[in-house]
Amino acid sequence: MTTQASAGALQASDPTQSPAGGPTLPGAQPVGGRSAPRPMSRRGEVLYFAVRTKKVIIGLTIIGFFFILAVIGPILRPGDPDALIGPLGMPPSGDWWFGTTSFGQDVFAQFASGLRSTFLVGLLGGGLAGIIGMTVGFVAGYRGGVVDEILNMITNVVLVIPTLALLLVAAAYLTARGVVVEALFIGLTSWPWAARAIRAQTFSLRSREFVNLARMSGVRSLRIVFGEIAPNMSSYLFLTFILLFGGAILIAATLDFIGLGPTSGSSLGLMMYNAVAWSALQLGLWWWFVPPGVAITAIVGALYITNVGLDEVFNPRLRNT
């Protein structure tokens, strides 16, 4: 009995443990001459485990590196990235950090500009797909019945549309395509899986007690969805956006590489397309296609690693820290 009481007193006096055994915020308030632990808020708990999860740190570091390079790169190499300003086919050096193309274009300038386009496509395409997917998923999952059947039918139709065939038709009629048009197309065709996943989550939440209480209190449906259900899915929605962001980048790189991307501007996929079109591999100009390929792989891989790490942070059952 004495041993158990001593152990309990030791645990209560430990400022790093809460009564439930979890972490607490620093700055405990003195109670009876001793420091009483202050429970950690939900946001503080997420931040506490996020900075201690290696997957999150590694993923965000890689993404942050390329994002900073996308911001400062065009400042370091101002001007038109497609300008013919250097010697032909020069390897990387102090003057030409990533070398030059077979036409004398600065590969680093194209790479930095392509990074900007990559993040822009991911943000616009993934954001649009997320907005459409969340709207359809929330409405279908909460309303149910005929509304759910109609929205589910539309989702299935968009899901089975042959994207490549649709792109070929669009490319035939759109003589000028930019990054924004590409992002718009990606966003309009990549939302169905997110809508179906959010619909399933909404189905499981709409019968909870707090939703029924809000409904009986006369709260409008729109406010229930975005004021009661959506906040309880915030972590899931955030992870969904990360996947949509990475998917938009990968789809854009694929479209650019096969020649269905923007007809003007720079992108990482367009760099690889031009490198293949002008026989960079046969000529030994590896510095023309390796940097964009490595960047796309690293960014998409880092987004996936970050998503897995954040899943462990948001889900206490998956934490190993």
Side-chain angles (χ1 to χ4, degrees):
M1 182 70 68
T2 305
T3 304
Q4 294 177 353
S6 300
L10 180 61
Q11 181 179 6
S13 63
D14 186 357
T16 63
Q17 295 292 326
S18 67
T24 59
L25 288 174
Q29 300 298 325
V31 177
R34 292 184 301 178
S35 295
R38 180 156 54 96
M40 182 178 288
S41 64
R42 174 61 178 170
R43 183 179 301 177
E45 181 185 358
V46 170
L47 182 61
Y48 176 87
F49 285 103
V51 298
R52 287 165 174 77
T53 304
K54 293 182 179 180
K55 295 184 182 69
V56 176
I57 298 301
I58 294 174
L60 292 180
T61 300
I62 296 174
I63 297 171
F65 169 77
F66 284 106
F67 181 78
I68 292 174
L69 191 59
V71 173
I72 68 174
I75 299 176
L76 299 175
R77 283 288 195 269
D80 185 6
D82 294 327
L84 311 179
I85 58 175
L88 309 184
M90 285 292 295
S93 62
D95 297 328
W96 310 101
W97 298 340
F98 282 11
T100 62
T101 68
S102 56
F103 302 99
Q105 299 161 319
D106 188 354
V107 176
F108 178 80
Q110 292 186 345
F111 178 77
S113 178
L115 279 177
R116 282 191 172 184
S117 300
T118 296
F119 282 105
L120 181 61
V121 167
L123 181 62
L124 295 179
L128 179 60
I131 292 174
I132 298 176
M134 284 188 292
T135 302
V136 174
F138 280 139
V139 174
Y142 181 77
R143 298 287 296 183
V146 178
V147 175
D148 176 45
E149 292 180 3
I150 294 175
L151 292 178
N152 197 34
M153 180 186 64
I154 296 174
T155 302
N156 292 332
V157 169
V158 178
L159 193 63
V160 299
I161 288 179
T163 306
L164 184 58
L166 186 62
L167 253 180
L168 291 173
V169 174
Y173 287 95
L174 296 177
T175 56
R177 301 184 302 276
V179 174
V180 176
V181 174
E182 183 181 47
L184 181 64
F185 177 84
I186 293 173
L188 292 175
T189 56
S190 59
W191 58 267
W193 72 265
R196 298 183 71 173
I198 294 171
R199 168 182 172 270
Q201 293 290 327
T202 306
F203 262 127
S204 65
L205 289 175
R206 70 174 184 174
S207 58
R208 298 289 180 89
E209 293 181 357
F210 65 92
V211 176
N212 291 331
L213 181 60
R215 192 182 295 115
M216 289 186 297
S217 300
V219 180
R220 301 183 56 139
S221 299
L222 189 63
R223 187 170 180 180
I224 293 177
V225 170
F226 292 101
E228 301 290 341
I229 297 178
N232 285 276
M233 294 172 54
S234 57
S235 59
Y236 185 82
L237 297 176
F238 184 67
L239 296 178
T240 300
F241 172 73
I242 292 179
L243 293 178
L244 290 172
F245 187 93
I249 291 176
L250 200 57
I251 294 173
T254 303
L255 297 178
D256 296 347
F257 184 72
I258 63 178
L260 296 178
T263 55
S264 59
S266 299
S267 70
L268 299 181
L270 193 59
M271 287 181 64
M272 294 191 294
Y273 170 77
N274 290 329
V276 172
W278 297 103
S279 306
L281 180 62
Q282 290 80 0
L283 296 175
L285 305 180
W286 57 267
W287 53 87
W288 193 352
F289 57 84
V290 167
V294 170
I296 292 173
T297 304
I299 293 173
V300 175
L303 287 169
Y304 173 76
I305 294 174
T306 304
N307 187 78
V308 174
L310 288 176
D311 193 18
E312 296 177 1
V313 171
F314 292 134
N315 190 348
R317 291 176 296 180
L318 300 178
R319 293 173 185 166
N320 52 12
T321 54

